Amino acid sequence: MATRRGISRRLPWARWPNSRLLELRLCDLGVTLEGTWLEDCVDLLYSELESRGIRSRPHVWLSDEWFSPAGVPGLAIPFYLTHRTLMRLERAQMLEVEGGTKAHCMMILRHEAGHALQHAYQIQRRRRWQRHFGASSTKYPDVYRPRPASRHHVQHLAFWYAQSHPDEDFAETFAVWLSSREAWRKRYRGWPALRKLECVDELMAEVADSRPAVRTRSRPHSLGQLRRTLAEHYAERRSQFDMKFPATYDRDLTRLFSDDSRHRRHEAASAFLRRNRKELRELVSRWTGEYQFTLDAVLSDMIGRCRELKLRAVGSERRLKQDFAVLLTVKTMHFLYSQGRRTWLSL
């Protein structure tokens, strides 16, 4: 696995091709948190909690994704972050590595620590918590329509995640509070979200040195319990993004690209999009926070329609890429937030 010095410990599958590695069961990977760069991240999280005087330390274990289970004052980290080979496989299968940099990993750790401390101290039962965040018992929605301009929620993880549920609102607010010391007062001055940050500040001061109400060290869905293969794992994850996008692109595509026979010697629009596929996907992902896997599915449909309509890329390549990125953003967001989002991913 990747150690703190960036060296990989030798594991029998470390140099296997992906086709062979996918046949391996999750429980047989043999990876641990110890000795990896993740240990440094967890140590930093604990240091931040200590600097706030918080006594509780969420316990950490490896699983198949990021999550903090209800009723457990701990959090799970996905297995693929323990080894560079597994991170490469994750990128090959899902097009990105969630938490794959120290900065992003810390953002998610702070968010999950918020959940874990909520579970530890059961603070969702306090009237002050409910007054600012709502009812924790609220059912998680199948679909939520975020308001990007809202100042009633902090902005931390992608998808304006704080707007999705009271528990996520608290976890996101806690993460901002933990990471920025007093900087959040300046950053959110004049925002209604500032009252939530002040609520977290007061609640944490109240529970900081007290003994948690929930002290179980349970580790649900730990890596050693997962018997499915990596191939089965990724097939299941990809199915969460398996959406049928309506063929309503034609009018916009024909405005952007040309079907005039005079331009038949220009590059095919389908080839233009394939050539710029990675750049466009990553650009729109940065704008929207949307998973690249979802964007790639929309791109596939658009490329197919360009080929069937025999469209050509005419004009400035820079302008075409800019205009297409806007079109891809609009079409993806319209579908996801008006017709239904994929199955929720745990955070």
Side-chain angles (χ1 to χ4, degrees):
M1 72 188 76
T3 70
R4 298 187 185 201
R5 297 185 179 182
I7 303 171
S8 286
R9 178 167 65 84
R10 292 182 181 178
L11 289 164
W13 44 260
R15 295 184 180 277
W16 289 1
N18 285 354
S19 57
R20 185 180 177 189
L21 184 57
L22 287 167
E23 296 174 0
L24 197 62
R25 296 189 305 175
L26 292 170
C27 60
D28 294 330
L29 286 170
V31 293
T32 63
L33 285 167
E34 289 72 23
T36 74
W37 67 284
L38 294 170
E39 263 197 313
D40 290 332
C41 292
V42 173
D43 286 347
L44 177 56
L45 173 67
Y46 289 169
S47 294
E48 291 177 350
L49 293 173
E50 182 178 5
S51 72
R52 303 298 191 278
I54 298 174
R55 176 177 178 178
S56 179
R57 297 290 182 272
H59 63 288
V60 179
W61 68 96
L62 291 178
S63 187
D64 55 351
E65 60 182 337
W66 292 99
F67 65 93
S68 178
V72 177
L75 61 97
I77 296 178
F79 67 90
Y80 57 78
L81 293 177
T82 61
H83 198 284
R84 61 189 63 169
T85 296
L86 297 176
M87 292 175 74
R88 283 196 295 266
L89 179 66
E90 175 76 8
R91 188 175 299 280
Q93 294 292 314
M94 303 304 299
L95 304 180
E96 57 195 304
V97 180
E98 192 168 34
T101 65
K102 182 176 181 180
H104 195 207
C105 183
M106 289 307 303
M107 289 177 70
I108 302 176
L109 278 175
R110 294 179 186 116
H111 173 100
E112 296 301 340
H115 285 308
L117 290 173
Q118 177 185 333
H119 302 154
Y121 292 105
Q122 296 291 285
I123 54 178
Q124 75 277 5
R125 297 179 179 177
R126 302 190 179 207
R127 289 186 179 180
R128 187 187 306 165
W129 193 99
Q130 295 168 6
R131 186 167 62 249
H132 286 89
F133 298 102
S136 179
S137 58
T138 301
K139 182 181 178 182
Y140 268 83
D142 294 323
V143 179
Y144 76 99
R145 186 191 297 271
R147 293 174 294 139
S150 172
R151 293 193 167 197
H152 289 270
H153 304 81
V154 297
Q155 297 176 353
H156 181 62
L157 294 177
F159 309 131
W160 304 278
Y161 205 51
Q163 301 181 33
S164 63
H165 187 273
D167 285 356
E168 304 305 339
D169 193 5
F170 171 75
E172 285 288 83
T173 306
F174 175 86
V176 170
W177 172 82
L178 182 64
S179 64
S180 58
R181 296 186 179 273
E182 291 296 300
W184 50 266
R185 294 190 186 277
K186 181 178 179 180
R187 166 70 175 85
Y188 290 96
R189 182 181 301 149
W191 289 41
L194 181 61
R195 291 194 291 269
K196 294 179 179 179
L197 284 159
E198 290 171 341
C199 173
V200 169
D201 195 45
E202 293 165 2
L203 287 170
M204 290 300 105
E206 290 174 6
V207 304
D209 198 39
S210 61
R211 191 176 185 186
V214 179
R215 296 184 294 275
T216 177
R217 306 298 285 182
S218 174
R219 301 184 175 198
H221 307 292
S222 63
L223 193 64
Q225 300 170 349
L226 303 180
R227 307 298 178 187
R228 62 183 180 278
T229 66
L230 283 163
E232 292 167 338
H233 164 73
Y234 283 114
E236 180 180 341
R237 286 190 64 194
R238 286 194 298 270
S239 71
Q240 296 174 332
F241 296 83
D242 186 18
M243 299 175 291
K244 300 299 181 184
F245 294 91
T248 57
Y249 312 124
D250 293 10
R251 184 177 66 174
D252 295 298
L253 290 173
T254 53
R255 285 175 176 172
L256 183 58
F257 301 113
S258 176
D259 59 358
D260 193 318
S261 59
R262 293 176 301 171
H263 299 138
R264 62 181 178 274
R265 294 187 182 277
H266 285 76
E267 181 181 21
S270 57
F272 170 83
L273 293 178
R274 284 197 302 272
R275 180 164 57 83
N276 294 287
R277 186 172 192 156
K278 184 174 184 291
E279 179 184 351
L280 290 165
R281 190 180 66 218
E282 291 177 347
L283 175 63
V284 176
S285 179
R286 286 198 302 273
W287 283 354
T288 65
E290 185 53 58
Y291 285 103
Q292 291 193 44
F293 201 91
T294 301
L295 295 168
D296 203 61
V298 184
L299 266 168
S300 292
D301 280 0
M302 287 185 163
I303 290 171
R305 288 307 296 157
C306 284
R307 184 171 56 250
E308 292 169 5
L309 295 169
K310 299 180 180 179
L311 299 178
R312 298 286 167 173
V314 180
S316 162
E317 177 161 324
R318 180 173 176 271
R319 180 62 182 271
L320 283 174
K321 286 195 290 187
Q322 287 178 341
D323 290 348
F324 183 82
V326 172
L327 175 61
L328 178 60
T329 300
V330 170
K331 291 299 182 182
T332 303
M333 294 299 101
H334 172 75
F335 178 80
L336 290 175
Y337 299 124
S338 67
Q339 300 188 41
R341 196 173 179 82
R342 63 180 174 275
T343 302
W344 272 67
L345 300 180
S346 291
L347 272 182

